Amino acid sequence: MDIVLGRSNRGVLLWQLDANGQMVIEPQLVTSLEQEVARREAGPMSPRWVWDDTSRWYPELIRAGVRVRRCVDLRLSRAIIRRSPLTAETPMARAAFASWDQPTPEPRSPVGAPSAGTLFDWEPETADDPTVEFFEQLAAIEGATDPARLRLLLAAESAGSLIAAEMKFAGLPWRADLHEALLTDTLGSRPRSGERPAKMQQILEVVRTALGAPDLNPDSPTELLRALKLAGIEAASTRSWELQNIDHPAIAPLLDYKKRARILSSNGWNWLETNVISGRFHPDYVPGGVVTGRWASKGGGGALQLPKQVRGAVVADPGWVLVVADAAQLEPRILSALASDRAMAEAGQAGDLYAGIVASGAVDTREQAKLAMLGAMYGATSGEAGRLLPRLAKSFPRAIALVEEAARAGERGEVVSTRLGRGSPRGAVPGWDETSTVAEKERVRAQAKSWGRFTRNFVVQGSAAEWALCWMAGVRQRVFELGDSAPSRAGANAGASWLRNSPHLVFFLHDEVVVHCPLDLAASVETALRAAAVDAGRLLFGQLPVSFPISVAAVASYADAK
DNA sequence: GACGGCTCCAAA
DNA sequence: AACTTTTGGAGCCGTC
């Protein structure tokens, strides 16, 4: 059963729909959202909550200790429907840009500050009415080429929005004391603001001496490049990978300095102070924030770029563990499934896909297999990856043909699609006329090639993101059920009791999840993670013989996961 | 001083 | 000149 929520100047409005999607009663004014949602969630048939934007509704419910099983995030759903090839012929896809295509506006009048008027004097512009939007979306789904796929995608996307809000609230367990010890160890003790930590300063002096540049500021690429040149080092840039190849006494300490400077600026004391509160790191995830469907993160400390070096500060609470699970070689496996490439699926059966590719005789070493696969998915044309590609194509023609076709489609300016129907953005239509110069033609061709690499990667990265969403949604459901059946722990009555009693997701990184879990439930959580991975493969690819193995480790510290 | 472009590097 | 995808953030530096 679906329940639509909306805001009016009198408070929250609730529309209840019956099984046929008809409104059964006029909207009711809700006096306590938390109580209303909690009451209906406790019933035998938990509803599907339909709202404009999960990030505007769910956090306050979570804070009140209320958990929601299912929802529809209208804004995320609309974004998918508007761009999906599956719905290209529907009115919603053809309609002009509307307010629903923009970020959710701030509520016009805050709840709790009702203006004068009768109960139902709220007359939203039709365009803003969530029931109207919801019905239009349902119609678009009905009119889709493959409604089942689209429904799965939208359900997964909305489940993701719930998970993002729950993970932000729960936070990743973070030991500030360990983080500080790590900083002191690699940088020296915390300096006054504006100064360099002692160890960095020492290394810098070595660099300055070796270059004969006593005042060098190595953080300025311009200055550094000039100092290198004066010391007789011809470098086109100051990138580490380029400096690596230079034989000069200044290079090793310089690279060392850059490494440490990076930690200081991205995850130093400032980061710690602003992002770790009461032993938790609360990242701002943005579901669907990347064109391919991957999540992004905004502000909040760069959750999706969390360096391996600081993961030692991520430590489970006493009596708890972190169950870290990683979908091994997800993208190449997704590719083999997308292409129904049985040879590649077989190569992946034993557990290590790259070893399987070597065993098939396609290439000679595991490193080659990995390089060639990445090159195939990214569109590498030169270097070793480019050279290996023909050998890969010979052994796995279907998989390689799939990415090649995606690339050609992009070059022609066509839309490509993920497994469940997320559409790529429309590329610029390539073309030139007789007046174009050779250089212009070359530039157009280069742009088309570049867009082809994007669409090539889009189908794989985007489908992998769908697998990950389905996996995580399954993990969430299974793991909460574990908590429900677990013996009640002390203080389980008020607020978000699932945080204190149940295993729950605390981190997500594209193909990896972390569950914070009471010690005695670790084995059950592992089972849940593996079962959800199997489910995700079935949901996306049915009975295709492609496996998606995951590695699971129950650890005290994230740094020990692999 | 604010702003934006650029460079560099972290993740998958 | 670049040559392999998607991102976010910090610092530098020129411009307004």
Side-chain angles (χ1 to χ4, degrees):
Chain A
M1 185 219 296
D2 293 322
I3 297 177
V4 184
L5 293 176
R7 295 190 200 276
S8 79
N9 54 5
R10 305 283 296 161
V12 171
L13 291 179
L14 180 154
W15 293 261
Q16 188 167 321
L17 311 189
D18 68 15
N20 299 319
Q22 305 292 312
M23 257 180 266
V24 291
I25 46 171
E26 283 296 297
Q28 63 182 96
L29 193 59
V30 175
T31 48
S32 165
L33 181 64
E34 298 97 79
Q35 285 176 21
E36 188 68 31
V37 175
R39 186 176 65 77
R40 292 175 188 259
E41 280 290 331
M45 293 274 290
S46 69
R48 188 168 63 155
W49 300 94
V50 181
W51 49 42
D52 55 7
D53 184 332
T54 301
S55 69
R56 294 301 176 92
W57 289 89
Y58 199 30
E60 63 176 290
L61 291 170
I62 298 173
R63 277 195 296 275
V66 180
R67 216 190 115 242
V68 155
R69 285 185 177 75
R70 297 187 302 154
C71 81
V72 174
D73 183 308
L74 289 171
R75 223 161 278 271
L76 289 173
S77 299
R78 182 183 174 97
I80 290 171
I81 292 170
R82 294 268 283 167
R83 196 175 264 177
S84 174
L86 302 180
T87 48
E89 304 305 319
T90 64
M92 177 159 279
R94 293 157 172 268
F97 188 86
S99 64
W100 282 97
D101 297 309
Q102 296 173 323
T104 315
E106 293 297 326
R108 272 165 295 186
S109 66
V111 174
S115 58
T118 57
L119 186 58
F120 297 121
D121 68 348
W122 180 66
E123 290 185 26
E125 294 170 27
T126 312
D128 291 334
D129 187 327
T131 64
V132 172
E133 174 64 17
F134 183 46
F135 287 136
E136 285 181 9
Q137 291 193 11
L138 291 178
I141 296 164
E142 284 306 312
T145 321
D146 189 341
R149 279 191 191 196
L150 195 59
R151 274 193 206 102
L152 176 57
L153 173 55
L154 298 178
E157 187 86 339
S158 289
S161 74
L162 295 176
I163 294 166
E166 287 166 358
M167 288 200 302
K168 177 178 173 57
F169 180 76
L172 187 59
W174 201 283
R175 285 273 300 274
D177 58 330
L178 293 182
H179 189 155
E180 276 176 356
L182 183 149
L183 292 175
T184 307
D185 197 46
T186 51
L187 306 174
S189 58
R190 184 177 193 176
R192 284 174 297 189
S193 79
E195 292 179 10
R196 287 192 179 86
K199 283 198 183 176
M200 280 179 65
Q201 189 64 39
Q202 285 165 14
I203 296 163
L204 174 55
E205 292 309 331
V206 176
V207 175
R208 283 171 167 170
T209 306
L211 289 176
D215 298 322
L216 171 69
N217 171 15
D219 302 323
S220 162
T222 325
E223 235 183 90
L224 181 55
L225 214 50
R226 202 181 35 167
L228 289 171
K229 192 162 192 167
L230 286 172
I233 299 170
E234 290 295 337
S237 76
T238 61
R239 290 185 182 91
S240 294
W241 60 263
E242 187 173 340
L243 298 178
Q244 263 170 13
N245 303 320
I246 297 168
D247 182 25
H248 188 282
I251 294 302
L254 177 55
L255 291 173
D256 188 7
Y257 176 89
K258 285 166 83 75
K259 204 84 183 161
R260 294 174 204 249
R262 169 74 191 184
I263 297 171
L264 174 65
S265 73
S266 64
N267 295 96
W269 291 277
N270 287 339
W271 182 92
L272 190 55
E273 269 175 9
T274 40
N275 291 294
V276 176
I277 297 154
S278 305
R280 293 287 188 271
F281 169 42
H282 302 270
D284 266 318
Y285 296 103
V286 186
V290 178
V291 274
T292 57
R294 275 186 174 180
W295 288 12
S297 73
K298 279 247 179 313
L304 302 183
Q305 291 95 237
L306 205 62
K308 291 209 158 70
Q309 284 146 312
V310 301
R311 294 186 183 181
V314 182
V315 175
D317 288 351
W320 290 57
V321 278
L322 299 169
V323 185
V324 182
D326 175 298
Q329 305 155 341
L330 178 59
E331 292 197 351
R333 290 172 189 276
I334 289 287
L335 172 55
S336 63
L338 284 173
S340 303
D341 191 316
R342 288 180 183 268
M344 191 175 279
E346 203 165 302
Q349 282 301 331
D352 182 352
L353 174 62
Y354 300 132
I357 290 174
V358 174
S360 79
V363 295
D364 304 324
T365 68
R366 193 177 178 283
E367 271 317 295
Q368 284 183 340
K370 189 172 176 178
L371 200 66
M373 276 308 304
L374 289 174
M377 294 184 297
Y378 289 153
T381 53
S382 65
E384 196 180 358
R387 283 195 298 279
L388 289 168
L389 204 59
R391 297 174 64 180
L392 208 59
K394 199 167 178 208
S395 293
F396 310 107
R398 299 192 65 151
I400 301 308
L402 187 133
V403 284
E404 289 296 330
E405 276 158 29
R408 299 294 94 77
E411 288 167 13
R412 292 190 298 267
E414 294 168 14
V415 165
V416 297
S417 169
T418 59
R419 176 69 176 184
L420 296 182
R422 192 185 303 263
S424 67
R426 198 167 291 282
V429 181
W432 56 73
D433 56 38
E434 289 70 25
T435 66
S436 304
T437 65
V438 174
E440 282 168 345
K441 287 179 184 172
E442 187 46 50
R443 199 163 46 82
V444 168
R445 185 158 41 214
Q447 273 175 355
K449 281 277 176 198
S450 170
W451 192 254
R453 283 194 301 276
F454 164 64
T455 52
R456 169 198 292 266
N457 187 249
F458 181 93
V459 295
V460 180
Q461 188 184 115
S463 300
E466 287 165 351
W467 184 92
L469 273 181
C470 289
W471 178 40
M472 195 160 50
V475 169
R476 171 181 187 256
Q477 194 179 337
R478 288 168 179 273
V479 143
F480 269 121
E481 283 165 7
L482 283 179
D484 288 345
S485 61
S488 185
R489 284 154 215 274
N493 300 321
S497 63
W498 53 270
L499 269 188
R500 289 188 303 278
N501 301 296
S502 306
H504 52 270
L505 285 157
V506 287
F507 197 58
F508 173 52
L509 195 53
H510 304 314
D511 61 1
E512 179 174 347
V513 299
V514 180
V515 176
H516 196 208
C517 161
L519 267 171
D520 55 323
L521 291 176
S524 305
V525 167
E526 173 165 353
T527 304
L529 285 159
R530 294 192 188 283
V534 172
D535 288 349
R538 295 265 179 279
L539 283 168
L540 262 76
F541 300 109
Q543 295 306 310
L544 277 180
V546 179
S547 60
F548 296 97
I550 60 170
S551 69
V552 184
V555 291
S557 168
Y558 194 11
D560 299 333
K562 58 177 174 182

